[in-house]
Amino acid sequence: MHFIDTHTHLYLENFDQDRPEMIKRAINRGIDHFLLPNIDQDSVASLLNLCKEYPKNCFPMLGLHPTSVKEDWQSQLSGFEDVLKKQSKTFIAVGEIGLDFYWDRSFADQQFQALRIQFEWAKMLNLPVAIHTREAFPEMLSEIEKAQNGKLKGVLHCFTGTLDEAKKAIDLGFYLGIGGVLTYKKSMLPDVVKQLPAERLILETDAPFLPPVPYRGKRNESAYLFETAVKLAEILNLSLETVAEITTNNAIELFKLPTT
Ligand SMILES: [Zn+2]
């Protein structure tokens, strides 16, 4: 069985002490592809270095995370635009990008502008987008709808919305990224996911954040994707092998990953 962790921050310093061992633990459980979303200009070098070290396993994205949209957002974006245009083949997606109104709304306008600009890059370069949304699902869906000209594709990473929001995202051509929240006791996500087509779901950890049960409170890592996959199989009433096959194929299709 093979799994793809479609959203994992393995380049962060949380893993500096044991990164090779941690990657080995994941590979030993069949989780052998790691898609790495960027955060801001300070994370690019470590992200690309990791991809250089593990060219068959790690794949880079480039984008500005909504919580990093501050005073200097325009200069960060113009730097990324140059890199993307010069090396669009290096990157598998524009990400992660999005809207996050959980912490504060002081850069809300700039978040919208940065999102729209990065949607345009994705369409122009024919790359998918990896979208982060917190406290902003209705706004995000309306932004996707406005930008959708038939060329925008991507994933709502760490999806935790309602059934209506899930259906709308799928109607707009998007995939839903399912992570550790699926295993949480009080989560409504299982009831939503149960009613969705497996062909639109991909798996992720968002490591080092949001670990699944039984690792809550600890650092998350890509090996723990397995617990979420087991839970998804149970919810969809499918075998684990089938979940592995479908979600892996979905990710290969969306991100145009090499299949060997
Ligand atoms: Zn993330």
Side-chain angles (χ1 to χ4, degrees), residues 87-248:
Q87 338 171 18
S88 72
K89 296 243 160 28
T90 306
F91 298 94
I92 56 157
V94 176
E96 59 184 293
I97 63 177
L99 298 171
D100 189 322
F101 302 138
Y102 177 78
W103 300 104
D104 73 279
R105 296 191 74 106
S106 44
F107 286 93
D109 286 348
Q110 292 87 341
Q111 283 193 30
F112 278 106
Q113 292 179 64
L115 177 72
R116 289 169 191 157
I117 290 169
Q118 294 179 94
F119 273 170
E120 291 311 305
W121 297 348
K123 289 190 281 185
M124 190 174 57
L125 299 168
N126 198 24
L127 288 171
V129 290
I131 296 182
H132 168 109
T133 308
R134 201 162 180 200
E135 302 281 309
F137 269 109
E139 292 93 335
M140 179 54 74
L141 289 169
S142 108
E143 287 301 312
I144 294 173
E145 194 164 21
K146 276 188 272 177
Q148 187 54 278
N149 62 349
K151 286 197 169 155
L152 189 63
K153 54 195 177 137
V155 55
L156 291 180
H157 120 74
C158 191
F159 181 78
T160 52
T162 64
L163 181 60
D164 276 354
E165 288 163 345
K167 284 182 171 163
K168 190 157 183 212
I170 290 172
D171 282 347
L172 286 165
F174 273 64
Y175 289 80
L176 305 175
I178 305 299
V181 174
L182 191 69
T183 66
Y184 296 177
K185 243 197 178 126
K186 287 184 182 154
S187 169
M188 305 298 286
L189 195 57
D191 293 324
V192 172
V193 166
K194 204 181 286 178
Q195 304 176 64
L196 301 176
E199 288 65 29
R200 284 283 143 181
L201 306 178
I202 58 179
L203 289 168
E204 63 167 71
T205 58
D206 201 18
F209 315 107
L210 294 170
V213 172
Y215 305 107
R216 289 193 81 177
K218 303 204 171 106
R219 180 192 71 176
N220 196 7
E221 58 178 69
S222 283
Y224 304 163
L225 185 94
F226 197 82
E227 276 71 22
T228 304
V230 167
K231 181 77 183 177
L232 183 61
E234 180 195 314
I235 289 168
L236 296 178
N237 202 17
L238 296 171
S239 69
L240 186 60
E241 288 77 10
T242 306
V243 162
E245 195 184 323
I246 294 176
T247 57
T248 296

